[in-house]
Amino acid sequence: MSWICLRDLLSGVNKYSTGIGRIWLAVVFIFRLLVYMVAAEHVWKNEKKGFECNIRQPSCENTCFDYFFPISQVRLWALQLIMVSMPSLLVVLHVAYHEGREKRHRKKLYLSLGMMDGGLWYTYLISLIVKTGFEIGFLVLFYKMYDGFSVPYLIKCDLKPCPNTVDCFISKPTEKTTFILLMVITSCLCIVMNFTELSLLVLKYFIKCCLQKYSKRHKSSVCEHHHFRYDECGEIGTLPLLQNHHSEMAISTSQRGETRLLCDTQES
């Protein structure tokens, strides 16, 4: 299987990600994609031939293998990697949609597509939630399907058409267990990073909303103090109004001083 398309997809999302998102991408590339392509795929190669039972009863060995390994572990990892990476496609589609609108209107409609704001913020948040859900779901599925995260060297099978309980042996159990633990630890690390990034995004958004409410409240209080309506203050601006107000007071004061000076001159 070629992973070039998946690599290009994740690389395209990298410029719209946060710092933690870029670290997540590096972990996926180095500890999951490369490990899978370079080592894990070869360890589980021809796993059916490496599964041997101490009986030559026809179909007994095939039945036991199908019962204990309904889905190949390495193929389940590949499916997990694809499903975890697919939510990033939402971000790519969102950015492509905005770029298409700008090309149709032939003008800049958005300040910066790379800014984590507006619709892109919601799309990125949804992709994080979906990615985390897939990570947790596949870990639970793997644990339930294979009764843990270790590969035993011996399993006992008593399924038909086996005449009795037979011993079946799995090839390279220690090596497979090591790779399974590596994948599980990496998946847990990705879950922690997704939760951290999700929490930081929500926290930043909450702080931003609080600051906007505080600035609006402060602005309205300043306008009421100087007897301006809020909409007029919002259109003209608080600072220019205050400057004009002070300048008018200074002009009126100087005019009054000049009038008094003229009156004193005429009386004298």
Side-chain angles (χ1 to χ4, degrees), residues 116-118 203-213:
M116 192 62 61
D117 197 5
L203 181 62
K204 287 181 179 179
Y205 183 78
F206 178 74
I207 294 174
K208 181 180 177 181
C209 291
C210 292
L211 291 176
Q212 288 178 350
K213 289 181 180 180

Side-chain angles (χ1 to χ4, degrees), residues 173-213:
T174 304
E175 191 173 10
K176 290 179 179 179
T177 301
T178 303
F179 276 105
I180 289 175
L181 292 178
L182 177 63
M183 291 294 184
V184 170
I185 293 172
T186 307
S187 183
C188 292
L189 180 61
C190 290
I191 292 173
V192 172
M193 285 191 294
N194 287 336
F195 269 120
T196 305
E197 188 175 13
L198 188 65
S199 302
L200 287 177
L201 286 177
V202 174
L203 181 62
K204 287 181 179 179
Y205 183 78
F206 178 74
I207 294 174
K208 181 180 177 181
C209 291
C210 292
L211 291 176
Q212 288 178 350
K213 289 181 180 180

Side-chain angles (χ1 to χ4, degrees), residues 44-67:
W44 270 267
K45 191 175 182 180
N46 297 326
E47 56 182 327
K48 179 63 179 61
K49 293 181 180 180
F51 186 84
E52 296 180 354
C53 298
N54 59 355
I55 193 172
R56 295 303 175 188
Q57 179 71 22
S59 299
C60 175
E61 191 171 280
N62 291 334
T63 303
C64 294
F65 181 82
D66 184 68
Y67 177 77

Side-chain angles (χ1 to χ4, degrees), residues 61-119:
E61 191 171 280
N62 291 334
T63 303
C64 294
F65 181 82
D66 184 68
Y67 177 77
F68 288 103
F69 299 98
I71 300 177
S72 175
Q73 293 174 339
V74 70
R75 293 186 181 94
L76 189 61
W77 284 347
L79 181 62
Q80 178 188 11
L81 189 57
I82 292 172
M83 297 303 293
V84 166
S85 304
M86 281 301 104
S88 300
L89 184 62
L90 294 174
V91 181
V92 176
L93 292 176
H94 181 94
V95 175
Y97 170 73
H98 287 311
E99 289 178 346
R101 287 197 63 189
E102 288 184 345
K103 287 181 180 179
R104 281 199 307 270
H105 291 83
R106 296 180 180 178
K107 62 180 181 179
K108 193 71 174 178
L109 299 176
Y110 308 96
L111 295 177
S112 177
L113 292 174
M115 292 178 63
M116 192 62 61
D117 197 5

Side-chain angles (χ1 to χ4, degrees), residues 218-229 242 245:
H218 180 69
K219 192 175 183 180
S220 62
S221 64
V222 171
C223 293
E224 290 174 0
H225 178 71
H226 293 279
H227 306 289
F228 291 112
R229 289 187 302 174
L242 292 178
H245 183 64

